[in-house]
Structures are given as structure tokens and as C-alpha cells.
Amino acid sequence: MKAITVRLRHDPDPVALGARSGLLWSRGGFAVAGLGEAVRIPLSRPDGAARAQHQLAAMRDSDELCVPGSGPLALATLPFDRFAPGDLIVPSIVVGSDPEGHRWATVIRHETPQPGDIEAALHEVEQVKARRVPASPQPTTMTLTSVRSPEDWRDNVVAAGVARINAGELRKLVLAREVRVTTDRPIDAAAVIERLRQSFSSAIVFSIDGFVGASPELLVSRTNDVVRAHPLAGTAPRSSDPLIDQRLSSELHASPKNRHEHGITIDWLLHNLLPYCSYVDAEPEPSILTLANVHHLGTLVEGVLSSPPASVLELVAALHPTPAVGGDPQDVAIRVIEELEGMDRGCYAGASGWVDGNGNGAFAVNVRVARIDGATATVYAGNGIVGDSDPEAELAETRSKFQAILGALVRP
């Protein structure tokens, strides 16, 4: 396989393309979208990053830009289970744009692409972007089924988890719920992406292999030798009353329970990043990240990678799952999750992102997500549990988190 990248003089609008094609990753002013599938590169986990990165790098041929995201590129959504294999999806055509004003298209073929291949690819991109969204009549009703009853989850999952924390078995545990959505017509993933963009403009929006999301949480990014992460841990609901909303935000920032939960994640992440860095540090104080439905505690972590810098795939393997989606100690928390939750998380709480042939890339944590399959969708929400967690409050928090995706699936 060979990849040729050309500079574009016009805005290719990757989000419009990716919403329709089902291969999209967008954060801030950076977006990449794919069309078609040139090849899938198997990713054995957690130790296959170097092998997969080498296969992707071998596709490089010609690149007019040589910026992060140009050249051969793959997208992936990876399972929560860090030992479960994944795939890197290498699109036949990629279009991208970044905040510095770079615009590009990459074409991948079995043989070196020719100028005519580039022209044909750009024509195909425009045809896909021209598709109407929504493409057909949209669902107007939906039925929600809680896979495990709310009361059962509260009393036999969360309360049991709190008891095990207080017994000294672990410090933190993340427990999730699952609901199934059934609609009267097929769900248009492109329309869902458009609604998520409108409601969560600051989120990382993605659509990969039928898995869509608007995640507020950056697991890790690598730009040349700079590594960044923005872990979130600690949540409070929003209120339509500005005074109450401000109080909820202030209480979250001052909450000993939430600050403790957040600190566990930051300390763990710094410890696990340090072996890859010549320098790494976190902001001294968490800040409030406000979304349409909830407030979060968040802290920016940034460092400089040692030479030669690890690829983003290696960093994902080192950091996933963080205590923000698993718990602490990690191995104990994952075992307790398997015992208490009674569900297969699949790609929920996994990671979705992109990687280029140089090892640059970025991955979001798979929260605020749904798996769409025709007229059904599976939606997840989870919370961090510590020793003084209140099971009833944790149940209410999952309901707030569900709204982020449920509101985008159906518009009456």
C-alpha cells in the first residue's frame, strides 16, 4: 500500500464528510475523515503498538505537507478490555484540516497513486458530502430499556462497590450502566453527529465503525515530541437556574470526595507517563469543564517525550484504562468491575482516535457514546465510586450523563 498526500487550496470540510462516511475524528480546529477502506491493520493489545505502527509507516510515499495527520493515517475504536485486540482502519481516502490552516487529502492505493486517482478521490468526496442529512425520515419515538434495573444497579452494584472500597480492597472503582434504545425508524448516524456537534461544540466528536460519541475527555495526544492528556474525574449536574448552576459548579470544585477521586487519576497518569518523558507535569489545580448537561473536574497534563518519542499507540497502551474509567489499583478494579457489572463494556470506556505514519495522533476516552445498529442503539454511562459515594446520587448522575447521547438519537 502507498499513500500520497496533496495540499488543498479549499476547505475540504472533514466533519461533513466523516459524518456521512462513518469515519470521523474531530477536536477543536483539527479534523480528519475517511472514505472507503484500504486495509485493516490488526492491533494486538497491549504489546502490538510498535508492529502496527511500522505497518502504517511503511505506506508513506509522497507528502506535500508533512504535518501531523497528513500521510498514511488510520482510525480506531478500541475496547475497554486492554487485552482485547483491535483494528486500525486505514481509509482509501482521507481529508484533513488543522488550526494552522493546513488542508490536505491523502489517497492510498496498492500501487503508487497517480494524479488521476487524486482527482477521482476528490470528486468522490464531494459526492458523499452532498448527501442530504438526514438522508431519510428520522425516528420520532424511542423505547428505553435498562439492561439492569436502576434499583438493582444502585443496591447491588454501587452499594456493593462502596462496601468493598471501605473494606480496603481498593481505593476507587468505576461502575457503569447500559440502556438499550429502540426507535420506530433507523437511526441516521450522520444526523446524530450533527446534533452532537451543535450541543457539545467543545467535545471530541467521532464516528468509527458504528460507534459514535461526543467525548469531553482526551486520553492522550502526541504531536511530534509533545504529549498531552486531559483527564476528567468528578461530576456535578447542570441547572437551568444560573445561580443554582454556579453553586453546583463551586460545590464540585470544593468537594473533598470529587477532589480525592480526581487526584487518584492525575497521580496515576503522571506515574504512567513518566517513563516515556523527559519532562511531564500537571496543572496545580483542577478546573471546571462545563458541558451542556454536566460539570466536570479536569486537569491538563503536558510533557515532552524522550527521544525517540513513543507513538501515540504506545502511549494509549500505557495509559488505558485510567482510574477515570477503571479504578485504582487497576488490576483489582477491573476484576471487581467484571464481578459486579455483569455486562460486556465492548468499546465503552475504551478509546477512539487516529494515528499517522509518524506516530502522531490523539485518542479520546469512549464516554458519552452509543453503538448504533439500524433502529437500535446501546448507550452507556458510568461513575467513579469512592468510599463516601452515595448510591442514590450515583444513580442520578448516570441519568444526567445518558441525556448527552439520548437527546441526539431522536428529535421529535
Side-chain angles (χ1 to χ4, degrees), residues 25-43:
W25 200 93
S26 172
R27 176 176 181 251
F30 181 93
V32 286
L35 185 59
E37 188 175 305
V39 68
R40 288 194 178 219
I41 299 174
L43 177 63

Side-chain angles (χ1 to χ4, degrees), residues 139-145 180-185 187 375 379 402-403 405-412:
T140 56
T141 63
M142 68 177 174
T143 302
L144 292 181
T145 304
R180 301 274 170 78
V181 178
T182 305
T183 60
D184 57 336
R185 294 188 181 96
I187 300 168
V379 184
F402 277 134
Q403 292 306 314
I405 294 295
L406 293 178
L409 291 175
V410 174
R411 285 287 173 89

Side-chain angles (χ1 to χ4, degrees), residues 95-120:
V95 296
S97 60
D98 68 18
E100 285 70 44
H102 300 114
R103 308 285 185 263
W104 66 90
T106 300
V107 176
I108 298 179
R109 296 286 187 266
H110 286 282
E111 303 295 336
T112 299
Q114 302 301 311
D117 295 323
I118 302 290
E119 294 175 11

Side-chain angles (χ1 to χ4, degrees), residues 25 27 76-80 174 203-206 211-221 228-233 265 268-269 296 316 319-326 345 347-354 362-370 380 382 405:
W25 200 93
R27 176 176 181 251
T77 186
L78 304 175
F80 170 74
V174 179
I204 303 166
V205 176
F206 55 87
F211 205 71
V212 303
S215 174
E217 186 167 2
L218 176 69
L219 173 64
V220 66
S221 71
R228 294 185 178 91
H230 193 203
L232 307 179
T265 297
W268 183 94
L269 193 138
H296 287 298
V316 168
L319 298 181
H320 173 76
T322 73
V325 293
R345 288 189 175 189
C347 287
Y348 167 69
S352 290
W354 64 273
F363 278 75
V365 179
N366 285 347
V367 292
R368 315 300 189 273
V369 293
Y380 308 86
I405 294 295

Side-chain angles (χ1 to χ4, degrees), residues 220 227-229 268-277 280 301-303 305 315 319:
V220 66
V227 60
R228 294 185 178 91
W268 183 94
L269 193 138
L270 288 171
H271 175 77
N272 282 271
L273 263 183
L274 186 58
Y276 297 89
C277 296
V280 64
V301 174
E302 184 170 317
L305 294 167
L315 298 172
L319 298 181

Side-chain angles (χ1 to χ4, degrees), residues 222-227 276-279 303-310 360:
R222 188 264 221 184
T223 304
N224 300 319
D225 65 349
V226 176
V227 60
Y276 297 89
C277 296
S278 59
Y279 166 82
V304 177
L305 294 167
S306 304
S307 183
N360 295 306

Side-chain angles (χ1 to χ4, degrees), residues 11 19 23 54 72 95 111 116 123-124 163 190 201 209 243 252 262 280 291 339 359 368 373 393:
D11 183 359
L23 287 172
H54 177 75
V95 296
E111 303 295 336
H123 178 68
E124 187 176 356
S201 58
D209 248 8
L243 292 178
L252 171 63
H262 190 76
V280 64
L291 302 174
E339 293 173 12
R368 315 300 189 273
D373 184 10

Side-chain angles (χ1 to χ4, degrees), residues 59-329:
M59 298 179 188
R60 281 185 300 219
D61 193 344
S62 172
D63 185 346
E64 292 182 358
L65 288 86
C66 296
V67 297
S70 67
L73 178 138
L75 296 106
T77 186
L78 304 175
F80 170 74
D81 181 351
R82 68 189 301 264
F83 296 102
D87 287 318
L88 303 183
I89 304 170
V90 181
S92 302
I93 305 166
V94 176
V95 296
S97 60
D98 68 18
E100 285 70 44
H102 300 114
R103 308 285 185 263
W104 66 90
T106 300
V107 176
I108 298 179
R109 296 286 187 266
H110 286 282
E111 303 295 336
T112 299
Q114 302 301 311
D117 295 323
I118 302 290
E119 294 175 11
L122 293 176
H123 178 68
E124 187 176 356
V125 164
E126 293 304 318
Q127 286 184 312
V128 173
K129 282 166 50 181
R131 294 176 189 166
R132 191 163 57 97
V133 176
S136 59
Q138 291 293 283
T140 56
T141 63
M142 68 177 174
T143 302
L144 292 181
T145 304
S146 201
V147 175
R148 190 164 187 165
S149 77
E151 296 76 17
D152 181 34
W153 187 80
R154 178 193 63 200
D155 299 336
N156 297 313
V157 179
V158 177
V162 170
R164 294 176 77 159
I165 291 170
N166 288 327
E169 189 173 348
L170 68 169
R171 293 201 300 163
K172 178 185 175 182
L173 181 63
V174 179
L175 294 169
R177 294 178 59 206
E178 175 184 12
V179 298
R180 301 274 170 78
V181 178
T182 305
T183 60
D184 57 336
R185 294 188 181 96
I187 300 168
D188 188 332
V192 174
I193 289 294
E194 291 293 338
R195 293 167 192 151
L196 290 173
R197 287 180 66 201
Q198 293 170 11
S199 299
F200 302 96
S201 58
S202 62
I204 303 166
V205 176
F206 55 87
S207 177
I208 304 171
D209 248 8
F211 205 71
V212 303
S215 174
E217 186 167 2
L218 176 69
L219 173 64
V220 66
S221 71
R222 188 264 221 184
T223 304
N224 300 319
D225 65 349
V226 176
V227 60
R228 294 185 178 91
H230 193 203
L232 307 179
T235 305
R238 297 290 311 274
S239 171
S240 58
D241 184 316
L243 292 178
I244 296 175
D245 194 55
Q246 180 58 49
R247 176 176 59 79
L248 291 169
S249 173
S250 298
E251 289 176 350
L252 171 63
H253 195 265
S255 163
K257 178 260 184 188
N258 284 290
R259 293 290 289 262
H260 171 62
E261 177 189 341
H262 190 76
I264 290 172
T265 297
I266 300 305
D267 291 346
W268 183 94
L269 193 138
L270 288 171
H271 175 77
N272 282 271
L273 263 183
L274 186 58
Y276 297 89
C277 296
S278 59
Y279 166 82
V280 64
D281 203 359
E283 293 176 314
E285 283 283 314
S287 57
I288 296 293
L289 176 66
T290 296
L291 302 174
N293 59 327
V294 292
H295 301 288
H296 287 298
L297 280 180
T299 296
L300 178 63
V301 174
E302 184 170 317
V304 177
L305 294 167
S306 304
S307 183
S311 79
V312 73
L313 296 178
E314 294 175 88
L315 298 172
V316 168
L319 298 181
H320 173 76
T322 73
V325 293
D328 185 66

